Amino acid sequence: TAPRQAVLISSGAGVRGNQGWSAYALSKATLNMLVQLYAHDMPDTQLVALAPGLIDTAMQAQLREVDSTVFPSVRRMHEAHGTGTMPGAETVARRLLNLLPHLHDVESGSFIDMRKR
């Protein structure tokens, strides 16, 4: 039997074309389209692509080591680090758990930026 709801973790990178993010952005854009397409094929399951925003993780730490003069989008990560704009993983997980019950109101196949909810 199909699940009633599936929330797939996406990224704003899947809707923005930042220099140097080709593989990651393409993978998230593909995920977003997969959610849209599967929403048609699985009408009894609500599917949502959810972008949680910047999260202070080991991946972010590694990305902040990249030269921002070569990859300007990295500046945003430097500016966000240590602020509420880039919370830790546990904080984002709590926000996600609080948001899950409200996602049932969202149209299946949607891309949702969690920071705007």
Side-chain angles (χ1 to χ4, degrees):
T1 60
R4 292 186 352 202
Q5 183 182 48
V7 178
L8 291 83
I9 302 301
S10 187
S11 170
V15 295
R16 276 190 239 93
N18 290 325
Q19 178 184 355
W21 288 70
S22 301
Y24 184 76
L26 284 170
S27 73
K28 294 303 184 174
T30 300
L31 177 82
N32 296 345
M33 182 55 67
L34 179 108
V35 166
Q36 286 181 38
L37 294 171
Y38 279 9
H40 298 295
D41 295 338
M42 301 170 66
D44 295 330
T45 301
Q46 186 218 26
L47 292 115
V48 176
L50 182 74
L54 295 173
I55 305 171
D56 194 3
T57 62
M59 182 178 96
Q60 286 289 341
Q62 188 173 12
L63 288 170
R64 287 191 306 274
E65 293 177 12
V66 173
D67 185 352
S68 63
T69 61
V70 177
F71 300 103
S73 62
V74 172
R75 284 188 206 115
R76 182 171 154 242
M77 293 174 204
H78 285 282
E79 293 166 359
H81 186 247
T83 71
T85 306
M86 186 188 289
E90 288 184 20
T91 298
V92 175
R94 280 191 297 275
R95 289 178 186 165
L96 176 58
L97 288 173
N98 290 333
L99 180 61
L100 283 176
H102 304 286
L103 291 179
H104 289 288
D105 300 332
V106 174
E107 181 180 354
S108 187
S110 294
F111 170 84
I112 304 296
D113 184 333
M114 193 167 101
R115 296 165 298 178
K116 297 179 182 176
R117 306 263 323 157

